Amino acid sequence: MGHTTGSIAKMLGASLDGPADLAITGVEAVGQAAPGHLTFLRSAEFAAQWAGSRATAALVPPGLKVPGHDASARALILVPDADLARLGQAYLDDPVLQAYLSSIFDP
């Protein structure tokens, strides 16, 4: 089951600032992320690392300024609580949890 920035935003009921069709293959810290990774920018300290990160997308709280964001190439998924949204990592990494949650959200 593949995920895109759009499918993750939809699953979380979040707004998207960037392309909806970017493939997400895993989750990683902003400094270690590679293309295809989703990361978390919960504060200005982490947002300042976005321009130098190779991550494809990031979960961010609304109103957080993200220097260097290019919405034509990468995506910010705006969620009320980026820490709570980290639960999405378990969803992306665990096939059993994927099947269970998919049965609830995508009957």
Side-chain angles (χ1 to χ4, degrees):
M1 171 181 214
H3 293 283
T4 64
T5 48
S7 70
I8 293 170
K10 182 178 178 182
M11 178 181 68
L12 296 174
S15 299
L16 186 62
D17 180 14
D21 62 348
L22 301 176
I24 299 299
T25 58
V27 179
E28 187 57 76
V30 66
Q32 287 77 45
H37 284 155
L38 174 69
T39 194
F40 307 91
L41 307 176
R42 68 173 191 233
S43 68
E45 175 186 350
F46 293 104
Q49 297 176 47
W50 178 245
S53 176
R54 295 176 50 217
T56 294
L59 295 172
V60 301
L64 180 66
K65 301 291 186 210
V66 182
H69 176 59
D70 177 0
S72 69
R74 300 197 290 171
L76 298 179
I77 301 170
L78 309 174
V79 293
D81 185 336
D83 287 328
L84 183 59
R86 290 184 69 174
L87 293 175
Q89 178 175 1
Y91 178 80
L92 291 170
D93 293 341
D94 185 335
V96 173
L97 187 56
Q98 283 180 11
Y100 171 71
L101 290 176
S102 291
S103 71
I104 294 171
F105 293 111
D106 299 318

